[in-house]
Amino acid sequence: MLTLLIIKNRFYFVLLFTLLSFSVANAQDVLKAYVDTAFKNNIVLQQKNVSLEKAQYALKSAKGLFLPNVAFQGAYQTADGGRNIPLPLGDLMNPVYNTLNQITGSSNFPMLENQTINFLPKNFHDAKLRTTVPIINTDIIYNKRIAEQQLVLKEFEVQIYKRDLVKEIKTAYYNYLSALAAVDVYKSGLQLAREGLRVNEKLLENGKGLPAYVLRSQSEVESVNATLLDAEQKVNNARLYFNFLLNRDANEAIIVEAANDKSELAKVEGLLAGLNIANQREELKALGQVEGISKNVQKMNGQFAVPKLGAFLDVGTQSEGFHFNSNTRYYMVGLQLDIPIFSGNRNSNKQKESSLDLRNAQLNSNLVAQQLGLSAKVSQNNLRSAYQTYQSSQKQFEAAATYLRLIDRGYLAGANSFVETIDARNQYTSSKILVNINLYKVLTAMANMERETASYVIN
């Protein structure tokens, strides 16, 4: 029998441990599922992803500048009047041709008329395919590097907002649970107040109570009921904000998994024991990219004196009267060289301006690094304060619960007054609410510290 009892006890212990573990894991899974939903649906995060996608296309465009560019170009011109060039071909060649015809006794040399050539083209077209390719151009090299850095910067901005979103979701979820816990406490307080009213009404019926006690009990019932309605409204507001973060229907229900005190609060001691500040937070990495962009802009502006060389190939046709034959077709190959000589010191001024931008980015990086370190230490101090307040409220609740039991017994025995029972009941309700509020304040402080130390794992 003893062995059977031991086996049963072990079985129940394992079963209880398994259920508790499942409850804790389930609570964590619910909150993580909400975070994943927000990553998919949050509008601001979608805007950040759109900016990231734009940066990807900007990088592709910057890489495309290295490839040849082919374009069709067409032109049509016609004119009349203007200057003319007289060509007296008849006056020059006809005497010679006449003499040759006499000598040869033939008419092989016809007579020519004088010609007039107009300067302006008439019914002239030029259609061609122009292919251009850069050979030496430092601007497109640095533009590609800057586009790559801007893409990485956008990726960091997405990560930064994700961390902020995780904190907001956890805080909103804990606020919702805290509001629900307050409603439960007020409902319990309302039951106690109604029970007090019932007891006083019975005492009055039996000639042992006072009408003033009944009136006071009714007033207490109405007061607690009004407080309950206000608490329920806070629950609705908390649900609205939580669903707003997830970009879903405002009235959609929230899965409630109350926090396990021991499992969650066990982490607090470790967080307070040491402060692990991530040296490579996304904010610092983003500022590093800003510095890199400023450096590349400075280098690009410093290369203004480097010549730019490009090549082109034209394949087309040109004629008057829209003819297309072997005489109208042509091709042209060439090189284009651009060497800057003087531009009113604009290039040197741009270089100095970019140097100041780089200096400002470096100073900003140092400032933000100090601010992040300060924020992490402040979040740890806030967690310590919230945890100590929670421990104090637990002791206060235990004392209030004991006091309420003693006063209730004394009142029924006639040793304590009704006012004392109301005061004891209010202390009990307030201390119970305070325990729940302080518990979720601890969890909110943990979420804030998790954000400040960038310890949440984002896939």
Side-chain angles (χ1 to χ4, degrees), residues 37-203:
T37 301
F39 283 173
K40 296 177 182 178
N41 299 337
N42 185 265
I43 295 179
V44 178
L45 186 57
Q46 291 178 15
Q47 292 176 329
K48 297 286 185 182
N49 287 324
V50 169
S51 298
L52 175 61
E53 192 173 355
K54 287 177 61 178
Q56 292 173 344
Y57 283 110
L59 176 58
K60 292 180 180 179
S61 298
K63 291 180 178 179
L65 295 176
F66 290 92
L67 302 176
N69 181 49
V70 180
F72 174 79
Q73 298 178 355
Y76 171 78
Q77 297 176 350
T78 186
D80 197 5
R83 293 178 296 166
N84 296 319
I85 301 177
L87 293 178
L89 297 178
D91 295 340
L92 293 174
M93 301 303 297
N94 286 339
V96 177
Y97 286 173
N98 189 29
T99 303
L100 291 174
N101 286 333
Q102 292 177 358
I103 293 174
T104 59
S106 65
S107 59
N108 293 332
F109 300 94
M111 296 297 101
L112 302 177
E113 295 182 358
N114 293 329
Q115 300 291 325
T116 300
I117 306 299
N118 191 275
F119 268 86
L120 300 177
K122 189 172 184 179
N123 199 22
F124 175 81
H125 81 275
D126 183 8
K128 61 187 176 183
L129 286 176
R130 164 158 286 198
T131 302
T132 58
V133 59
I135 299 176
I136 300 176
N137 192 331
T138 57
D139 287 349
I140 61 176
I141 296 175
Y142 285 107
N143 280 331
K144 173 179 172 293
R145 295 176 184 176
I146 292 173
E148 291 173 341
Q149 292 171 320
Q150 288 176 336
L151 175 60
V152 177
L153 180 61
K154 292 297 181 181
E155 291 175 348
F156 288 141
E157 289 179 357
V158 171
Q159 295 293 98
I160 290 171
Y161 184 75
K162 280 186 175 181
R163 292 198 180 278
D164 291 335
L165 186 59
V166 169
K167 186 192 99 171
E168 288 296 323
I169 290 173
K170 288 189 174 183
T171 301
Y173 187 73
Y174 294 144
N175 287 339
Y176 179 74
L177 295 183
S178 178
L180 284 179
V183 168
D184 292 338
V185 173
Y186 285 127
K187 286 181 178 179
S188 176
L190 183 60
Q191 291 177 354
L192 291 175
R194 287 173 175 171
E195 178 64 18
L197 175 61
R198 187 189 66 81
V199 170
N200 284 312
E201 289 176 343
K202 289 294 183 181
L203 291 175

Side-chain angles (χ1 to χ4, degrees), residues 138-387:
T138 57
D139 287 349
I140 61 176
I141 296 175
Y142 285 107
N143 280 331
K144 173 179 172 293
R145 295 176 184 176
I146 292 173
E148 291 173 341
Q149 292 171 320
Q150 288 176 336
L151 175 60
V152 177
L153 180 61
K154 292 297 181 181
E155 291 175 348
F156 288 141
E157 289 179 357
V158 171
Q159 295 293 98
I160 290 171
Y161 184 75
K162 280 186 175 181
R163 292 198 180 278
D164 291 335
L165 186 59
V166 169
K167 186 192 99 171
E168 288 296 323
I169 290 173
K170 288 189 174 183
T171 301
Y173 187 73
Y174 294 144
N175 287 339
Y176 179 74
L177 295 183
S178 178
L180 284 179
V183 168
D184 292 338
V185 173
Y186 285 127
K187 286 181 178 179
S188 176
L190 183 60
Q191 291 177 354
L192 291 175
R194 287 173 175 171
E195 178 64 18
L197 175 61
R198 187 189 66 81
V199 170
N200 284 312
E201 289 176 343
K202 289 294 183 181
L203 291 175
L204 183 62
E205 291 176 1
N206 297 326
K208 297 182 180 180
L210 297 174
Y213 288 173
V214 175
L215 294 175
R216 180 62 185 271
S217 297
Q218 291 175 347
S219 175
E220 185 186 8
V221 169
E222 294 300 325
S223 176
V224 175
N225 187 55
T227 307
L228 176 60
L229 294 176
D230 181 68
E232 290 175 343
Q233 188 59 45
K234 290 181 179 179
V235 171
N236 293 332
N237 293 337
R239 183 179 65 252
L240 290 175
Y241 181 65
F242 184 82
N243 288 329
F244 165 76
L245 292 176
L246 271 63
N247 189 28
R248 62 181 192 174
D249 185 76
N251 296 319
E252 188 167 345
I254 301 175
I255 300 175
V256 176
E257 289 291 344
N260 186 282
D261 296 2
K262 294 182 179 180
S263 64
E264 295 296 328
L265 296 178
K267 304 175 184 178
V268 177
E269 297 293 343
L271 294 174
L272 297 179
L275 184 62
N276 296 323
I277 303 177
N279 295 325
Q280 295 298 321
R281 284 188 58 171
E282 287 84 1
E283 291 87 347
L284 297 178
K285 293 179 180 179
L287 291 174
Q289 291 298 315
V290 173
E291 285 187 38
I293 291 173
S294 299
K295 288 180 181 179
N296 280 324
V297 171
Q298 182 188 33
K299 292 178 180 179
M300 182 176 66
N301 292 333
Q303 299 289 323
F304 67 90
V306 176
K308 293 179 175 57
L309 179 63
F312 70 91
L313 169 64
D314 289 345
V315 179
T317 176
Q318 57 180 218
S319 69
E320 291 185 353
F322 292 99
H323 299 294
F324 182 78
N325 51 49
S326 59
N327 294 327
T328 64
R329 294 191 294 268
Y330 73 95
Y331 76 91
M332 181 182 297
V333 180
L335 297 174
Q336 293 178 327
L337 180 64
D338 183 8
I339 302 177
I341 297 177
F342 180 74
S343 61
N345 295 325
R346 291 193 299 271
N347 292 320
S348 59
N349 290 333
K350 286 178 62 177
Q351 186 179 10
K352 293 177 182 178
E353 183 180 353
S354 59
S355 299
L356 293 176
D357 289 337
L358 174 59
R359 177 58 179 163
N360 186 57
Q362 292 172 342
L363 292 174
N364 193 37
S365 296
N366 295 332
L367 176 61
V368 171
Q370 295 179 7
Q371 290 175 337
L372 293 177
L374 176 62
S375 298
K377 293 178 182 178
V378 169
S379 66
Q380 186 185 44
N381 292 335
N382 291 338
L383 177 60
R384 180 179 289 106
S385 176
Y387 185 57

Side-chain angles (χ1 to χ4, degrees), residues 2-17:
L2 181 60
T3 304
L4 182 60
L5 181 61
I6 293 175
I7 293 175
K8 286 184 177 180
N9 290 337
R10 288 182 178 178
F11 172 75
Y12 290 140
F13 175 77
V14 172
L15 179 61
L16 178 62
F17 179 78

